[in-house]
Amino acid sequence: MNKISERLSSLRKLMREEHIDAFVFPSTDPHNGEYVPEHWMGRQWISGFNGSAGTAVVTLHEAALWTDSRYFIAATEQLNGTEYVLMKEAVEGTPTIAQWLGMKLSISGGSCVGIDGMVMAASEVEELIADLRSAAGITVRTNLDPLRTIWKDRPEIPLSPVEIQQEEYAGESVQSKLSRIRKAIRSNHANGMLVTALDEIAWTLNLRGKDVHCNPVFVSYLLIHENEATLFIDERKLTAEVRVYLHANEIKVLPYEDVTTALKRYKDYSILMSSGATCFTLFNSAKASVIDIPSPIAIMKAVKNAAEIRGFRNAMRRDGVAMVKFLRWLLPAVQTGKETEMSIDRKLTSLRAEQHLYRDISFDTIAGYQSHGAIVHYEATPETDAPLRPEGFLLLDSGAQYQDATTDITRTIALGPITDEQRRVYTLVLKGNIQLAMLKFPDGASGTQLDALARMDMWREGMNYLHGTGHGVGSYLNVHEGPHQIRMQWKPTPLHAGMTITDEPGLYLEGRFGVRIENTMLITPYKETEYGKFLQMEALTLCPIDTSPIIMSMMRKEEIEWLNDYHLRVRNELLPLLEDEADRSWLIENTEALVV
């Protein structure tokens, strides 16, 4: 019996004891995070699938896992040898979780589904309850965490020390942020607010941590009243310096687990909480009237101030230096036959670590050679680590956490001869990236309204990609930051100057190769006319784009001009920072203007 089978057996034994017919394991934690501490990686533990998005559902006799298109290939491989059936979200014919449970439990005669109410957003639990009730009269139990019993070596909640993010990088004091937040709370007719998102707490208090892999946040809750604020946190994480800092900013401190009691004792009339971001258990603990709207902090955090923008520009230069050194090294290194996907990841990380203010990587590097590049969120392991040969494509998606900003960049690099098909696909992706980068658009437009520009030429070829085209990027915070996005699916959040957003179209040919090209962009003012304010995007990322695979006849004149202008800027900004003559020569050669 393999370990997944053993875990499922232990779970089912407990389910029978508790009279539960099925259990749902989401990917999230009590803070609705995309990336979570190991303590809450229950879905990964029970299924073996390690993608950042997915839901495992286990009945007494069957198991299934739902995930999106980014992970179809990876999930298929990781679930192989287990009893899990892969359910491909948004693919015609795939049942929803409620539909699948309704069908399976109607056959078995089951009537009770369990889910830990601390690890799924209230709105999602309520929707599941309603769907199951209408599907087959199934009830949902939310007060059991089976992992407490069956996960014998479950990691503890992290105790990494909290650090102060200096105002020279944050650009705004804690008191100023709290004042703005309280104004937003009052404008929504609430007396207080529970902040559960870890990046929102870190941003509000100008603090950072190391509780989540690659994301500089710390496990906590923040309750903001009209005249006071309380941080719920394990006090062992607080240094003497941070304690003094919190006291000076009039932030009270209580134990992490006391948040439920605090909500029950909350004496004001109303409290602002988002059912889409607050876990079911906490959302239903409040005795006050709940104002259920999205957190106003998210949009405040998304619009970067002058200090944060300055930090992005500085960090991108340092990151660009690391990338140039890496790319100059790469092709000769591949020629030796000694490099693999994992070895080049280590090389790039070491070059970034040499840079001023480096703190960590911002996500696990995706270094996908040839067919691995078609796996959107591929991560090399010792078992899959492919040797690089001087031919074909390497898709390299990577980033770093610097104290003044977070970086995220993808380059697809020809390691040697490539096919005509690879050239055509590469050129289509590059055209999509450039078309979006050149766009001018009204202030307040949504990312969905912009998305088609990146796909326009692909669609003409009958090609498409299923992931989003762009996401926000935090300021020494989470590399994936909302609420704004650029994607086909409707996301109404308006875009404004000061927001960061990635531009990352891609195409993936399963079993053959993948191409993605990504820059992190800053939305800036363009012009104001009688029709209102218009915006544009400026590339913050500074790194040459491989021009060797381009089919020039496919490129529009304006696209070539944009690429030449971008490369001139990359050269001008990075050349003064490069001391090694070989690096300087490589940069000059790889930013040469293309003939229009």
Side-chain angles (χ1 to χ4, degrees):
M1 182 182 292
N2 64 38
K3 64 181 181 181
I4 300 302
S5 297
E6 291 174 354
R7 293 167 185 176
L8 288 174
S9 179
S10 298
L11 171 65
R12 285 168 176 150
K13 181 177 182 293
L14 179 63
M15 288 165 58
R16 290 186 181 96
E17 293 171 356
E18 296 287 341
H19 306 290
I20 293 174
D21 302 293
F23 210 91
V24 178
F25 294 89
S27 299
T28 52
D29 60 10
H31 305 275
N32 204 42
E34 177 185 5
Y35 301 103
V36 304
E38 290 184 4
H39 178 80
W40 285 292
M41 291 182 179
R43 188 229 56 220
Q44 178 175 330
W45 184 83
I46 200 66
S47 69
F49 168 62
N50 66 3
S52 65
T55 304
V57 183
V58 181
T59 72
L60 293 172
H61 307 288
E62 298 181 68
L65 183 132
W66 280 255
T67 192
D68 62 47
S69 62
R70 295 173 297 170
Y71 297 109
F72 288 169
I73 299 174
T76 298
E77 294 177 354
Q78 292 177 13
L79 298 178
N80 185 39
T82 74
E83 64 179 271
Y84 279 92
V85 175
L86 176 60
M87 298 292 179
K88 297 182 178 181
E89 292 177 351
V91 172
E92 187 175 354
T94 300
T96 66
I97 291 173
Q99 289 169 340
W100 188 81
L101 281 170
M103 177 178 59
K104 297 301 180 181
L105 297 190
S106 66
I107 295 171
S108 66
S111 61
C112 180
V113 172
I115 185 167
D116 179 5
M118 284 296 294
V119 297
M120 182 179 270
S123 60
E124 294 181 39
V125 176
E126 292 290 359
E127 182 179 354
L128 182 63
I129 290 172
D131 289 345
L132 288 174
R133 184 185 298 122
S134 62
I138 298 169
T139 60
V140 177
R141 178 178 168 184
T142 61
N143 64 349
L144 176 67
D145 176 9
L147 299 175
R148 286 178 180 268
T149 303
I150 65 174
W151 193 351
K152 301 300 183 183
D153 56 350
R154 185 178 189 178
E156 297 296 322
I157 297 175
L159 288 172
S160 303
V162 175
E163 302 174 351
I164 298 169
Q165 174 72 339
Q166 299 297 333
E167 201 170 314
E168 66 175 296
Y169 304 122
E172 184 180 6
S173 70
V174 175
Q175 290 304 316
S176 173
K177 290 179 178 180
L178 285 172
S179 178
R180 287 205 287 146
I181 293 167
R182 287 178 172 127
K183 183 178 179 180
I185 292 171
R186 289 192 299 270
S187 69
N188 286 289
H189 311 290
N191 304 110
M193 173 185 177
L194 179 68
V195 189
T196 61
L198 300 185
D199 61 333
E200 293 185 11
I201 297 170
W203 178 86
T204 299
L205 299 180
N206 288 344
L207 294 172
R208 298 294 188 268
K210 297 179 180 178
D211 283 353
V212 180
H213 179 55
C214 297
N215 295 277
V217 295
F218 49 95
V219 174
S220 58
Y221 296 100
L222 180 63
L223 183 58
I224 302 174
H225 290 272
E226 291 177 318
N227 299 307
E228 64 180 41
T230 303
L231 179 66
F232 297 88
I233 189 171
D234 190 318
E235 293 192 45
R236 289 175 290 178
K237 300 153 72 78
L238 304 180
T239 63
E241 180 187 20
V242 172
R243 289 175 187 273
V244 170
Y245 170 86
L246 290 170
H247 179 75
N249 282 287
E250 301 178 325
I251 310 295
K252 296 181 179 180
V253 176
L254 286 176
Y256 175 71
E257 60 273 10
D258 283 6
V259 65
T260 305
T261 302
L263 287 173
K264 292 177 179 178
R265 294 178 178 175
Y266 182 87
K267 295 180 180 179
D268 288 324
Y269 176 74
S270 60
I271 185 170
L272 192 157
M273 286 195 292
S274 167
S275 61
T278 308
C279 71
F280 178 84
T281 300
L282 289 184
F283 191 81
N284 287 280
S285 295
K287 302 304 179 184
S289 174
V290 175
I291 309 297
D292 182 5
I293 61 170
S295 166
I297 299 174
I299 200 71
M300 294 180 188
K301 176 167 55 63
V303 178
K304 307 301 188 281
N305 59 44
E308 290 172 321
I309 292 172
R310 181 170 60 252
F312 268 104
R313 296 191 193 285
N314 291 335
M316 292 292 179
R317 293 187 188 98
R318 297 193 300 275
D319 206 60
V321 166
M323 285 296 300
V324 166
K325 289 177 177 291
F326 170 80
L327 292 172
R328 198 266 294 178
W329 165 87
L330 179 62
L331 293 187
V334 170
Q335 291 282 348
T336 68
K338 298 178 181 180
E339 301 302 328
T340 70
E341 293 167 330
M342 294 181 72
S343 72
I344 64 164
D345 176 9
R346 292 190 293 269
K347 176 67 174 181
L348 178 54
T349 300
S350 70
L351 290 169
R352 282 192 164 115
E354 296 173 358
Q355 302 304 312
H356 180 53
L357 299 181
Y358 174 84
R359 294 293 177 266
D360 198 357
I361 56 173
S362 56
F363 56 96
D364 288 317
T365 299
I366 299 169
Y369 178 60
Q370 290 287 66
S371 62
H372 286 166
I375 305 172
V376 179
H377 275 204
Y378 171 76
E379 182 183 343
T381 66
E383 294 73 31
T384 67
D385 188 21
L388 305 187
R389 301 187 302 274
E391 62 181 13
F393 273 148
L394 170 70
L395 189 157
L396 185 64
D397 188 349
S398 66
Q401 294 284 8
Y402 299 96
Q403 192 167 0
D404 51 354
T406 302
T407 69
D408 186 2
I409 173 177
T410 307
R411 291 294 183 262
T412 301
I413 305 139
L415 299 183
I418 56 175
T419 66
D420 290 342
E421 180 184 46
Q422 287 175 315
R423 291 182 183 279
R424 187 167 191 81
V425 169
Y426 183 93
T427 307
L428 286 172
V429 172
L430 177 60
K431 286 165 67 66
N433 177 281
I434 294 174
Q435 283 296 324
L436 183 58
M438 293 192 302
L439 183 63
K440 317 299 181 187
F441 53 96
D443 180 31
S446 82
T448 305
Q449 293 166 319
L450 278 55
D451 182 82
L453 267 293
R455 303 174 191 264
M456 175 177 62
D457 288 295
M458 300 177 190
W459 285 350
R460 288 175 178 160
E461 300 288 330
M463 305 182 79
N464 196 20
Y465 55 96
L466 299 181
H467 62 72
T469 302
H471 58 81
V473 179
S475 177
Y476 185 35
L477 271 173
N478 297 359
V479 72
H480 288 167
E481 180 176 271
H484 59 299
Q485 298 180 41
I486 301 176
R487 59 172 54 244
M488 287 199 302
Q489 297 80 5
W490 175 237
K491 294 290 181 182
T493 303
L495 299 175
H496 299 298
M499 288 180 166
T500 51
I501 191 83
T502 61
D503 174 1
E504 50 179 312
L507 286 172
Y508 312 93
L509 285 71
E510 184 174 351
R512 292 141 74 189
F513 66 92
V515 175
R516 185 164 64 251
I517 300 171
E518 174 189 19
N519 281 344
T520 298
M521 316 293 285
L522 174 68
I523 300 176
T524 65
Y526 172 53
K527 66 169 63 173
E528 187 168 356
T529 73
E530 60 186 299
Y531 298 101
K533 295 179 181 179
F534 284 77
L535 305 174
Q536 60 186 351
M537 287 188 280
E538 169 198 333
L540 288 170
T541 301
L542 297 170
C543 177
I545 295 170
D546 191 354
T547 58
S548 65
I550 298 174
I551 298 176
M552 291 296 291
S553 61
M554 292 175 59
M555 298 285 285
R556 298 180 180 88
K557 179 182 177 182
E558 63 177 3
E559 293 166 348
I560 297 172
E561 291 174 344
W562 183 94
L563 186 58
N564 286 341
D565 289 343
Y566 173 71
H567 276 155
L568 179 61
R569 183 169 153 244
V570 169
R571 179 192 295 187
N572 290 340
E573 296 223 25
L574 297 187
L575 204 57
L577 305 178
L578 294 168
E579 298 178 357
D580 189 299
E581 193 56 42
D583 292 335
R584 292 170 60 86
S585 298
W586 184 94
L587 177 61
I588 292 170
E589 179 182 349
N590 285 272
T591 53
E592 287 291 341
L594 301 175
V595 178
V596 178

